[in-house]
Every structure is written in C-alpha cells, then in structure tokens.
Amino acid sequence: MLSRTEHRGVCSLLSSVMSGTEAHADRQEDYRFLHSMLMEKKLHLLFKIHERLKRFEKRGPIPARDQASTLVPNLVDELSNYSTVQGEELLSLLCEPHFKSLLWVHDAVAQHQFEPQLPPLPENILEESDDSVKIVSLVKSAEPLGATIRRDCSTGAILVARILKGGAADKSGLIHQGDELREVNGVSLDHKTPQEILPLLASSQREVKLKVIPADVHTEQAANRKHELFVRALLDYDPEKDPCVPCREVALTFRRGDVLQVLSKEDDTWWQARHHGDHDSWAGLIPSEQLHQRRLALQQPQALFPSGCLQPPEDDEVEEDVDYGAISGVRVAGQRRSFRLGRRGGHGTDPRRRRAAGLEGLTRAPAYLEVVPFRRGPKDRPRLVLLVGSPGVGVSELQRRLLVSDPEQYGVTVPYTSRMTRIKEQNGVDYYFVSQRQFEEDILNHRFIEYGMYRGHYYGTSLDSVAEVMAEGKMCLVNLHPAAIKSVYTSEFRPYVVFVRPPRLEELRFTRRRAKFICPPEEGSGQARTFSEEDFEDMIVSAEDMETEHSHMFDKVVVNGDLTTAFRELRAALEQASGPNLQWLPAEWGPAEWVQGPPAEARGSQDHVAGWR
Ligand SMILES: Nc1ncnc2c1ncn2[C@@H]1O[C@H](COP(=O)(O)OP(=O)(O)OP(=O)(O)O)[C@@H](O)[C@H]1O
C-alpha cells in the first residue's frame, strides 16, 4: 500500500496532468475516461512497485569477494589451533557438505557463472542465416522482368548480372545487381544452369516468388574473399639454396605448380604465405614478385637488347599433309601432322637465331600467377586443351593417342585452307576450303588462333572450328606454338595448357632410336627421316626457350621420355581438368559469365542469358 504522503504526492501529480489535458480534451467523455484511468488505484500501486524496484536495484548486494570457498582451508587450519567450543563448532560447520555447497553456489553467482554457455557460432553462419535471405514476390505482367542472370564460376551461385533500367525488376526496387538467387517459386536452384532456370521463371503465371540473398551480404563475403589472395608458383623455391632469405627457419619451400595463399604483402621483398589448404600451419616467407624480378634483372645486365634482333619470319610456314589415318589405321578428321605454324623460324623462336642474337633468357618470367578457384559444373563446356612443345617432341603423337583412346571425349578442329580441294577431299572433313579473299577477311577479323602460308596458300586454325568441337561437349585438342596461346587465353575458352618437354639427351637418343619424323619440306621434301643429333639439340634448346618465355601459362608439363608413361600422365591430367574437382584459373580471366553454348554466342553477349520473361 502507498503511504499517505506518497499517495497524496501521486494524486497531486496526476491531478496536475489532468488539469493540463483538460484544455485539450474535446469531449466530456474523453476527459472522464482519462480521469478514471489515471486515478485508478491499481495504477498508483504499479507506480509504487516500480519505485521500490528502482530503490532495490540501487542497493543491490555486491559480493565481498567472488571466491569465498578458497577461504575455508585457511580458516580450518587456524581454527584447529584453538580448542574452544565455539571454534570447534565453527570448524564442524565449515566442514559440512551443505556449507561447502553453499559457498560454491555463492562463488558461482558472484562470478556470474549462472549464465548459459552457448555453443560456438557455426563458421558458415553468414551463408545460412535466415536474416540474410529475403523472399521477393514479383507480380508478372505482359512486359519482361528485365534482368539477366549468370553463374558465378568459383561458387556456383546464380547471380543477378544486370537489371535493365525501367524494367519490372527495376521498378519493383526489390532485386539488385549481384543478388544471389536461391529459389524460384520454391524450386531450389542448386546445381542448376541459367538455361534451366529461365523456363522456371517463364512458367510462372501471375507472380514469381524468389528467395534471394541480397548483394550487400555478397559484397561483404566477396570483400572477405578479396583478402584471400591465391597464387600459383611458377618456379621451385628452396630456402636452403637461397643465401638472401632473412630467416631460413620460417621460409616456405614450394614447387612449381603449388597453389599458395598469400597472407601478407606488406613487406615489398618477402611476402608471407602458406600452401593452399594447409590451415594449421603458420605463414612462411616467400620471395616477393618484386624481389624475383630484381634478381632476374641482376642476372641479365644485357637486357637492353638492340631493336630489330627479332625479325619476323619471311613466310609463316605450314607443313602439311600426312594423314594419320594412313599411319594409325584410325581416321580422324582434321588430324594433320605438323599443323603447327611458324614452328621453324616463326615467332622468333629459332634457338640458333636467338642464341646468335644473344636473346636467350631475356624474358622476365613472373614468379607467381594470381589464380582463383573454379569448379566445373556438370553442364559447363569442357576446357580447351592446348598442346605445345618443340618440333618433333611428340605433341602430334600424344594428341593422336588421345583421340584414338576416347573419340567421345576428345576432338580436333578441321583446319581452314585457301587452296583448291584435291580428289577425295571433303569440305568440312579434311579442311574447310575457303577463297583467299575470305581467308584474308577472316584474318582481319581475328578469327584464327594461328595461320600461315605455304606454297602460296593460307592454312589456319579458326576460333569457329574450336567452338564447333567444344559445342559437341568434347575437349578440343589444339596443337600450336606457345606464342599463339595468348589469343585464346581468356575465360571464354578457359584453356588448359600442356607443355610437352623432351627428356634429357641420353633418354631422347634412346627412346627415339627407331622413331622417324617428317622433316620440313625445305629440308627434305616432306620425307620421313630419323632424328639427327642436331634435331635433338634443337628440340632441347627450343623447349628451354619456350619454357622461359611462356611457362607462366602452362598448367601441366609432361616429359615425353617413355611414350606410354607420358601418355598416361597426360590423360590423367586431362581427366582432372574435365572433372568437377577444384581447379585454379588465372585471376585475370575474371568471372566467366557463360555456362553453355559455343563461344561464338558467348562473344555476342556477356550475360549470355537474356532477360527473364
Ligand atoms: N616418347 C616417344 N618415344 C619414341 N618416339 C616418339 C615419342 N614421342 C614421339 N615419338 C615419335 O617421334 C616422331 C615425331 O613425333 P611427332 O610427330 O608427334 O612430333 P611433333 O611434336 O608433332 O613435332 P612436329 O610438329 O614438328 O611434327 C614420331 O615418329 C613419333 O612417333
């Protein structure tokens, strides 16, 4: 109950509230309602309870110490020295289990140990949290929804690629570029391609219900991922052999091809990194790219070479024309021996010319290539396979074996030529026969990966024929000079580059003792002949040059010593490259927006999936 004074105080306060509101109450009944409510006894009691609680809160008990139980052993020791009745009684009290429990509870409360222990938050809370998911319902009208979608290659997520201004999605203001789509009308989009999603959107009658993870959540995740910098090592590094490493014990050993996660680039000279997937270990020191380049520069004081040393070949030459069907008994369209352009003398790679010009090792190959993770979806086109190697090393032989081993999995392009059709040759099977004018137009339109001229006729490998093979779902094998890799080194083709390296000289002599190759026409009218010592030397020097200049683009190096072993290794690597396992693609390719369909289509439209309807 309120004391008299308190009651009076509350009453006078409420009366003054009433007199203050009187002027503003329009109707009598409003005033009476307010009066009865404010003068209600229960309300006054609530005021009183509130005040008492407030006072109690201020005087709340504070424990004198939060570990009272630790005093007991000392006290028991002391009391054992006094043999008084009170002392003994206190001693037996202190030793009582109930009393001990009481002190234990006291300590627990004093230390606030009564609060529940929550389990740790799962790591993927951001991805799974319901808070980050929103349900959007768009009402369909005759007009298209006005957005495009794409599949993020590294995560497999379906993202809104573009919102068209003024379209239904734009007007709704509910969907934004970068939003991730999880469901359409209750159907999960997991493992679905944009092509499979379009019919889902189109089949919705009056409204489309979307489960969406907003872009800001994504940008946050992307920002987190941005800190994850991965590089592929392009050289072997052994700190034991590096006299400059500041602290050998904390330096990281790695091999060419290893994927490293760079954790710090703060120091210009020594970065901190660890092997990908090795989350338990500490970061180790690795030489920075700048340091690597400085070291290369010191090794190459003659780097300022005179211009004009590298003269373009007079005529990019094509060697043709032995059909493998005749050799292997398996006829494979487009498989032409030595259809590698500018092999000899082309691209400034003739080892003798380079050595004479003092150009060896002038290229400053990078130490690392920035890479991003990629998992091939079930409906993704296979990667383009580029096979490169020095003349005669066995690229065509390995390619032929791949084609014979699995014609469903591997395919080759049909080359283009401007020469006349010969008897028994079929257009689109042996070659695509086009006019010289057409060929030159295609050159100007950059439609060839490689092209060259032989005896007054053009020959070339066109992007369209690569697209054709890829559209069949086959891994397209292209045998080319490494200088031409750049023309297809894009997210459109995602090339997997295999470098076929010759073995050491002794093994080369031993393994090729019975091998014959078709020598270039200028040397022997296209006749088959055995390898000479000079051929072996050329092969090795040319391979070294290729590696120095282009190895940063090689995904796999296969040493072609024993042919069976080399073939087995190549095939295993290509199976990896065509599977759903984790692969690493150059970061410069950026996110690939296409999923299916020939590259020609992809070139036409970046988003490759048109507007939703
Ligand atoms: N590992 C090997 N052991 C023995 N012989 C081999 C091996 N690899 C290739 N050969 C043989 O060497 C010869 C040349 O090989 P291939 O035609 O494949 O060379 P290439 O790399 O395509 O060069 P080019 O384009 O100059 O012809 C062929 O007779 C081939 O059978």
Side-chain angles (χ1 to χ4, degrees), residues 337-338 340 343 392-397 511 516 560-561 563:
R337 186 180 181 281
S338 298
R340 287 192 274 172
R343 259 300 171 80
V393 72
V395 172
S396 312
E397 180 68 47
T511 51
K516 286 201 164 56
N560 187 16
L563 190 53

Side-chain angles (χ1 to χ4, degrees), residues 319 324 336-340 343-344 388-401 479 500 503 507-508 510-518 520 529 531 539 559-564 566:
E319 305 153 24
Y324 259 108
R336 285 286 177 277
R337 186 180 181 281
S338 298
F339 199 79
R340 287 192 274 172
R343 259 300 171 80
R344 290 175 189 256
V388 296
S390 44
V393 72
V395 172
S396 312
E397 180 68 47
L398 288 167
Q399 177 174 304
R400 185 184 65 83
R401 285 179 179 232
N479 170 348
V500 182
E507 198 179 346
L508 204 48
F510 179 74
T511 51
R512 291 353 188 240
R513 64 193 184 284
R514 280 190 217 101
K516 286 201 164 56
F517 73 104
I518 311 297
R529 67 165 172 80
F531 286 97
M539 202 191 286
V559 179
N560 187 16
D562 174 61
L563 190 53
T564 315

Side-chain angles (χ1 to χ4, degrees), residues 321-336 399-408 410-415 419 421-431 433 474:
D321 195 358
V322 175
D323 190 334
Y324 259 108
I327 299 170
S328 66
V330 178
R331 187 182 173 82
V332 189
Q335 170 75 353
R336 285 286 177 277
Q399 177 174 304
R400 185 184 65 83
R401 285 179 179 232
L402 282 172
L403 290 167
V404 172
S405 72
D406 193 348
E408 295 298 309
Y410 304 107
V412 283
T413 55
V414 176
R419 76 154 163 74
T421 317
R422 292 179 189 154
I423 305 163
K424 288 193 185 163
E425 280 183 340
Q426 279 180 48
N427 188 29
V429 176
D430 300 282
Y431 287 94
F433 296 97
K474 291 183 179 178

Side-chain angles (χ1 to χ4, degrees), residues 316-563:
D316 275 353
E317 283 172 349
V318 180
E319 305 153 24
E320 64 152 347
D321 195 358
V322 175
D323 190 334
Y324 259 108
I327 299 170
S328 66
V330 178
R331 187 182 173 82
V332 189
Q335 170 75 353
R336 285 286 177 277
R337 186 180 181 281
S338 298
F339 199 79
R340 287 192 274 172
L341 311 178
R343 259 300 171 80
R344 290 175 189 256
H347 305 285
T349 54
D350 182 336
R352 281 170 223 285
R353 271 211 276 166
R354 283 181 61 79
R355 265 179 295 164
L359 294 175
E360 283 165 286
L362 281 183
T363 319
R364 303 238 181 114
Y368 310 103
L369 175 76
E370 191 183 336
V371 288
V372 289
F374 166 72
R375 277 176 205 281
R376 190 170 163 249
K379 306 236 163 111
D380 278 355
R381 284 188 302 140
R383 297 177 68 179
L384 169 64
V385 178
L386 303 181
L387 299 166
V388 296
S390 44
V393 72
V395 172
S396 312
E397 180 68 47
L398 288 167
Q399 177 174 304
R400 185 184 65 83
R401 285 179 179 232
L402 282 172
L403 290 167
V404 172
S405 72
D406 193 348
E408 295 298 309
Q409 167 85 342
Y410 304 107
V412 283
T413 55
V414 176
Y416 278 64
T417 182
S418 63
R419 76 154 163 74
M420 298 297 288
T421 317
R422 292 179 189 154
I423 305 163
K424 288 193 185 163
E425 280 183 340
Q426 279 180 48
N427 188 29
V429 176
D430 300 282
Y431 287 94
Y432 283 114
F433 296 97
V434 293
S435 67
Q436 178 144 343
R437 201 185 151 150
Q438 176 66 54
F439 206 107
E440 282 165 357
E441 219 168 84
D442 288 349
I443 293 172
L444 291 175
N445 288 324
H446 306 284
R447 296 185 76 149
F448 289 106
I449 302 177
E450 272 190 323
Y451 69 91
M453 188 169 257
Y454 175 62
R455 292 191 178 158
H457 301 295
Y458 284 114
Y459 294 84
T461 306
S462 86
L463 290 167
D464 288 346
S465 51
V466 169
E468 254 171 52
V469 178
M470 289 173 88
E472 286 173 34
K474 291 183 179 178
M475 283 187 115
C476 179
L477 310 174
V478 176
N479 170 348
L480 82 176
H481 189 280
I485 297 174
K486 272 205 163 312
S487 61
V488 279
Y489 206 67
T490 62
S491 61
E492 198 178 320
F493 294 98
R494 291 190 198 130
Y496 184 80
V497 186
V498 181
F499 177 66
V500 182
R501 185 194 282 159
R504 284 177 299 114
L505 188 61
E506 306 77 63
E507 198 179 346
L508 204 48
R509 281 189 198 122
F510 179 74
T511 51
R512 291 353 188 240
R513 64 193 184 284
R514 280 190 217 101
K516 286 201 164 56
F517 73 104
I518 311 297
C519 57
E522 75 273 20
E523 288 173 22
S525 333
Q527 295 299 307
R529 67 165 172 80
T530 49
F531 286 97
S532 67
E533 276 297 306
E534 203 188 10
D535 292 328
F536 291 149
E537 197 203 320
D538 271 5
M539 202 191 286
I540 290 172
V541 175
S542 156
E544 281 167 3
D545 278 2
M546 285 179 176
E547 284 204 77
T548 312
E549 287 188 50
H550 307 286
S551 67
H552 58 284
M553 291 185 286
F554 299 166
D555 291 283
K556 174 82 188 158
V557 175
V558 174
V559 179
N560 187 16
D562 174 61
L563 190 53

